[in-house]
């Protein structure tokens, strides 16, 4: 419950007494905001850095997964745009907030990106709320992260550096920092972030109200190429997962939408690296499961655990932190099987009978060893945690609408043969941006292989994916406009450019562009064109169809 500035008793210069007896104040640092507003130069106000081709050389990415040359040419104290909802500027938070230890694990991080993370935290946080900033070095071997880093940090008394003795991986590195933290709250950040205006009080305020709440800031995107700062697509969304355990974001259902979109909202699953938690509560929950190796799956473990064991999790729209989503992970992650093993472990400890839905899609997980889980199961009993069915019905109740545990039947699948030319649709590569081509049909060539790029599924989301119904890839037919080619793009499940109709006249119709899939056998091209029911080049035969599902789709379209 936040109180806005109107109609509250004034107490002293800054604080106001709310109806609940809590003194609240405006935590904004207006001097710092003014100072930031007056800054100009490369990358200031979160503007993209103007790139020349020379700036884009591969070497710039090789060591960090983002363009370190550009990072090095932007100030460590650069300003970022205040893109919060306007209501955030009016909010008051408790005058007495817990302090926090900020834990930033890193491995071979770039000098400027690591320092900019630290500077942004110190520049944009009330000093009395920062107990310490702990940099945890996971066995880096870059020279700049040794003596030079230690000498630099001497001038920032709140910062201390811990170092692991061997490569531990993200999970244990975070635990090492958390174990030595002194603050009342632990806040985890990644080593390539930028904190935005007044990001910290809204997080700590929720924990002050309920110490069993884990809170996550809204994560903005810092472009890995030009370092421009902007919101994620869709901005405020709930964290979720599909049944292969890929992290997903789903829209906030109307039942949970607040009249004030800047208010905190419940999220079933966190994105991972950026969150704050009461230190004692974190350890009551057993911290992270120490049986989780290197990285992967830990965000599910902590999310399921906090919800099922008496806590809650929220995203806080008035707290924003920018994060560089790397082009690729620039270093080798030791123990390559850790992700699969970790996911199996989380499924076995927390997901009860729902683990079966994961194994149906990932049969290779069934026989993986997930290590000794006795301690985790004892923790679950000791904390009197609810079961996963409760989690699915009370917390993630909106998830099955987007990611049903049992996949509804597809409308059509198999090869897609053109009536006019007797040739088939084919995707040579499954990467986003690849065009769909017309090629001679594999079936006619005597090779029958499901893994070949001539098998497509027109599924329950009314999109067309590569693969058979049980093994679709996450790329979809996408068309932009009339006359555009048909290309594969990452499936977004939001219909739009990826919504198709398979009509009685055998045409594949694209409602957004009001056009149909056509082809040119000589050029082997597949493209959108004005619908012409008499044209054989616009008629397509799926190898198998389910008429009940097709009729249902087509009725819904009328």
């Amino acid at each position: 419950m936040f109180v806005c500035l109107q109609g509250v008793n004034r107490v002293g210069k800054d604080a106001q007494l709310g109806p609940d007896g809590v003194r609240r104040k405006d935590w904004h640092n207006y001097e710092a905001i003014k100072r930031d507003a007056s800054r100009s130069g490369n990358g200031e106000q979160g503007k993209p850095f103007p790139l020349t081709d020379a700036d884009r050389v591969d070497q710039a990415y090789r060591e960090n997964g983002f363009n370190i040359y550009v990072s090095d040419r932007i100030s460590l104290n650069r300003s970022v745009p205040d893109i919060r909802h306007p209501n955030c500027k009016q909010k008051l938070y408790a005058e007495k907030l817990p302090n926090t230890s900020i834990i930033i694990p890193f491995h071979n991080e770039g000098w400027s990106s690591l320092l900019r993370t630290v500077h942004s935290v110190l520049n944009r946080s009330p000093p009395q709320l920062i107990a310490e900033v702990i940099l945890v070095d996971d066995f880096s071997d870059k020279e700049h992260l040794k003596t030079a880093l230690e000498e630099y940090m001497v001038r920032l008394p709140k910062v201390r550096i811990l170092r692991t003795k061997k490569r531990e991986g993200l999970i244990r590195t975070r635990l090492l920092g958390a174990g030595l933290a002194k603050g009342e709250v632990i806040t985890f950040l990644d080593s390539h972030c930028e904190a935005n205006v007044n990001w910290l009080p809204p997080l700590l305020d929720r924990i002050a109200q309920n110490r069993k709440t884990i809170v996550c800031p809204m994560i903005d995107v810092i472009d890995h190429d030009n370092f421009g700062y902007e919101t994620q697509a869709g901005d405020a969304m709930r964290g979720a997962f599909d049944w292969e355990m890929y992290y997903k974001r789903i829209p906030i259902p109307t039942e949970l939408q607040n009249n004030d979109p800047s208010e905190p909202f419940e999220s079933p699953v966190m994105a991972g690296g950026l969150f704050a938690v009461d230190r004692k509560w974190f350890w009551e929950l057993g911290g992270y499961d120490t049986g989780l190796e290197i990285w992967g799956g830990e965000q599910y473990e902590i999310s399921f655990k906090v919800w099922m064991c008496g806590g809650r999790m929220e995203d806080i729209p008035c707290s924003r932190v920018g994060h560089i989503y790397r082009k690729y992970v620039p270093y080798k992650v030791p123990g390559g099987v850790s992700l699969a093993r970790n996911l199996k472990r989380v499924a076995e400890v927390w997901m009860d009978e729902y683990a079966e839905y994961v194994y149906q899609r990932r049969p290779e997980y069934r026989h993986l060893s997930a290590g000794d889980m006795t301690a985790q199961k004892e923790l679950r009993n000791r904390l009197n945690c609810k079961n996963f069915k409760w989690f699915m019905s009370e917390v993630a109740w909106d998830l099955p609408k987007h990611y049903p545990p049992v996949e509804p039947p597809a409308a059509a699948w198999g090869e897609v043969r053109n009536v006019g030319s007797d040739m088939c649709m084919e995707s040579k590569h499954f990467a986003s941006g690849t065009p769909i081509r017309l090629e001679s049909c594999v079936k006619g060539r005597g090779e029958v292989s499901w893994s070949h790029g001539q098998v497509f599924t027109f599924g329950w989301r009314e999109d067309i994916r590569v693969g058979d119904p049980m093994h679709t890839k996450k790329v979809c037919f996408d068309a932009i406009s009339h006359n555009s080619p048909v290309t594969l793009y990452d499936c977004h499940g939001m219909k739009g450019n990826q919504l198709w109709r398979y009509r009685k006249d055998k045409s594949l119709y694209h409602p957004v562009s009001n056009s149909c899939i056509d082809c040119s056998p000589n050029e082997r091209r597949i493209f959108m064109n004005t619908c012409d029911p008499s044209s054989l080049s616009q008629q397509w035969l799926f190898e198998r169809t389910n008429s009940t599902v097709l009729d249902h789709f087509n009725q819904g379209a009328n």
Side-chain angles (χ1 to χ4, degrees):
M1 213 273 305
F2 298 117
V3 181
C4 280
L5 292 171
Q6 298 83 16
V8 191
N9 305 325
R10 270 284 183 201
V11 178
K13 178 171 147 277
D14 212 357
Q16 301 180 7
L17 198 57
D20 52 1
V22 174
R23 287 159 63 100
R24 290 188 174 78
K25 71 171 200 173
D26 180 354
W27 278 91
H28 285 90
N29 179 342
Y30 289 105
E31 273 175 38
I33 290 170
K34 199 170 154 191
R35 203 164 50 238
D36 268 359
S38 67
R39 293 180 65 96
S40 61
N42 284 337
E44 293 295 344
Q45 313 305 328
K47 294 257 187 325
F49 185 92
L51 285 173
T52 64
D53 287 343
D55 295 322
R56 285 203 172 86
V57 288
D58 259 5
Q59 187 54 39
Y61 298 91
R62 208 159 285 149
E63 294 190 359
N64 299 282
F66 53 78
N67 195 328
I68 193 69
Y69 291 161
V70 166
S71 179
D72 290 348
R73 286 153 76 181
I74 292 173
S75 166
L76 298 178
N77 294 303
R78 82 138 162 192
S79 48
V80 292
D82 180 358
I83 52 179
R84 298 173 301 165
H85 189 280
N87 293 0
C88 297
K89 295 176 182 176
Q90 306 298 320
K91 290 198 194 294
L92 305 179
Y93 300 104
E95 190 178 41
K96 188 175 176 341
L97 289 174
N99 67 11
T100 183
S101 296
I102 310 260
I103 295 170
I104 303 172
F106 68 92
H107 172 74
N108 283 349
E109 184 60 63
W111 173 262
S112 55
S113 45
L114 177 61
L115 264 49
R116 192 175 297 109
T117 303
V118 174
H119 278 264
S120 80
V121 165
L122 295 174
N123 290 344
R124 298 204 185 92
S125 311
Q128 66 270 42
L129 298 183
I130 303 268
E132 59 193 341
V133 176
I134 304 178
L135 301 180
V136 196
D137 169 19
D138 186 13
F139 211 57
S140 298
D141 53 21
K142 294 264 179 285
E143 244 353 272
H144 65 260
L145 297 170
K146 309 243 172 90
T147 317
L149 185 66
E150 286 175 22
E151 286 173 354
Y152 187 94
M153 289 305 166
V154 169
R155 69 183 88 170
L156 302 174
K158 285 205 169 164
V159 180
R160 58 186 178 130
I161 303 170
L162 300 177
R163 302 195 189 265
T164 63
K165 304 271 191 302
K166 63 179 200 309
R167 187 86 160 88
E168 294 285 3
L170 181 65
I171 298 168
R172 293 203 192 113
T173 306
R174 273 197 200 142
L175 279 172
L176 179 71
L180 292 167
K182 301 193 290 265
E184 298 162 83
V185 167
I186 295 171
T187 302
F188 292 103
L189 293 180
D190 281 347
S191 52
H192 32 263
C193 285
E194 291 176 60
N196 209 315
V197 179
N198 206 42
W199 72 289
L200 191 54
L203 297 176
L204 300 177
D205 188 83
R206 295 303 280 179
I207 294 173
Q209 289 176 52
N210 173 357
R211 74 176 196 97
K212 293 189 172 181
T213 304
I214 288 182
V215 286
C216 306
M218 304 297 282
I219 305 175
D220 294 323
V221 178
I222 300 168
D223 188 274
H224 58 65
D225 204 21
N226 60 35
F227 278 66
Y229 186 111
E230 57 185 25
T231 62
Q232 285 195 58
D235 200 20
M237 294 178 92
R238 274 161 60 90
F241 54 89
D242 68 12
W243 297 96
E244 288 179 61
M245 301 310 285
Y246 284 107
Y247 176 75
K248 298 288 178 188
R249 297 166 73 234
I250 57 178
I252 303 172
T254 38
E255 298 91 322
L256 291 179
Q257 282 174 14
N258 197 301
N259 291 336
D260 176 357
S262 66
E263 285 286 303
F265 59 91
E266 294 180 354
S267 190
V269 172
M270 67 166 68
L274 283 60
F275 68 97
V277 55
D278 177 272
R279 179 167 54 93
K280 292 196 175 99
W281 175 230
F282 181 65
W283 294 117
E284 282 166 45
L285 287 170
Y288 282 120
D289 169 6
T290 47
L292 295 173
E293 299 279 342
I294 318 295
W295 73 275
E298 78 286 348
Q299 81 270 39
Y300 298 126
E301 195 248 349
I302 196 92
S303 303
F304 297 162
K305 187 157 67 175
V306 74
W307 276 114
M308 290 161 67
C309 308
R312 52 188 283 109
M313 194 157 59
E314 295 178 342
D315 280 6
I316 314 294
C318 289
S319 172
R320 306 194 76 106
V321 176
H323 177 264
I324 304 171
Y325 287 89
R326 293 194 275 217
K327 201 170 175 179
Y328 49 76
V329 178
Y331 44 77
K332 282 195 171 56
V333 176
V337 294
S338 70
L339 177 61
R341 189 179 169 282
N342 287 359
L343 291 173
K344 160 99 186 225
R345 191 174 169 90
V346 171
E348 285 294 313
V349 173
W350 296 102
M351 291 175 74
D352 305 332
E353 70 276 18
Y354 285 78
E356 181 56 31
Y357 298 125
V358 178
Y359 302 150
Q360 281 168 6
R361 290 166 179 81
R362 295 280 187 153
E364 68 277 19
Y365 286 9
R366 268 190 213 280
H367 307 297
L368 266 183
S369 158
D372 180 2
M373 294 173 281
T374 325
Q376 294 313 108
K377 291 182 172 172
E378 278 170 4
L379 174 87
R380 192 174 153 171
N381 281 334
R382 189 169 70 249
L383 291 173
N384 213 357
C385 305
K386 298 188 170 75
N387 59 26
F388 200 74
K389 190 171 183 173
W390 173 89
F391 174 83
M392 287 305 299
S393 58
E394 296 298 319
V395 180
W397 52 270
D398 52 335
L399 183 149
K401 190 175 83 185
H402 302 276
Y403 301 101
V406 177
E407 203 78 8
W413 64 97
E415 66 167 28
V416 187
R417 195 177 282 252
N418 182 251
V419 174
S421 63
D422 206 35
M423 293 168 79
C424 285
M425 291 189 181
E426 180 169 312
S427 66
K428 282 260 188 290
H429 309 285
F430 304 140
S432 199
T434 313
I436 300 292
R437 309 275 298 163
L438 195 65
E439 301 288 350
S440 60
C441 298
V442 179
K443 287 273 161 75
R445 301 201 295 244
E447 312 159 27
V448 184
S449 157
W450 275 119
S451 64
H452 202 278
Q454 286 193 4
V455 175
F456 300 96
T457 296
F458 180 38
W460 63 274
R461 286 187 175 85
E462 299 178 76
D463 56 23
I464 301 173
R465 302 185 176 215
V466 175
D468 71 283
M470 279 310 287
H471 308 94
T472 53
K473 302 219 179 290
K474 294 187 168 36
V475 279
C476 281
F477 280 28
D478 195 299
I480 298 163
S481 60
H482 183 69
N483 292 334
S484 74
V486 178
T487 44
L488 290 176
Y489 269 95
D490 294 336
C491 300
H492 50 57
M494 309 296 244
K495 304 203 185 308
N497 285 3
Q498 295 181 357
L499 172 70
W500 300 90
R501 299 255 173 262
Y502 186 41
R503 301 196 292 195
K504 290 266 191 286
D505 62 6
K506 303 188 183 63
S507 64
L508 277 165
Y509 173 65
H510 189 242
V512 164
S513 62
N514 187 27
S515 49
C516 289
I517 298 188
D518 204 339
C519 62
S520 155
N522 297 339
E523 300 172 293
R524 313 225 153 184
R525 260 185 346 112
I526 291 180
F527 53 92
M528 303 311 298
N529 207 346
T530 308
C531 296
D532 174 1
S534 65
S535 165
L536 294 178
S537 64
Q538 289 188 13
Q539 293 178 24
W540 302 91
L541 290 172
F542 274 91
E543 194 176 337
R544 312 219 174 116
T545 53
N546 179 328
S547 53
T548 319
V549 179
L550 271 178
D551 290 347
H552 176 68
F553 283 179
N554 289 330
Q555 275 162 7
N558 298 336

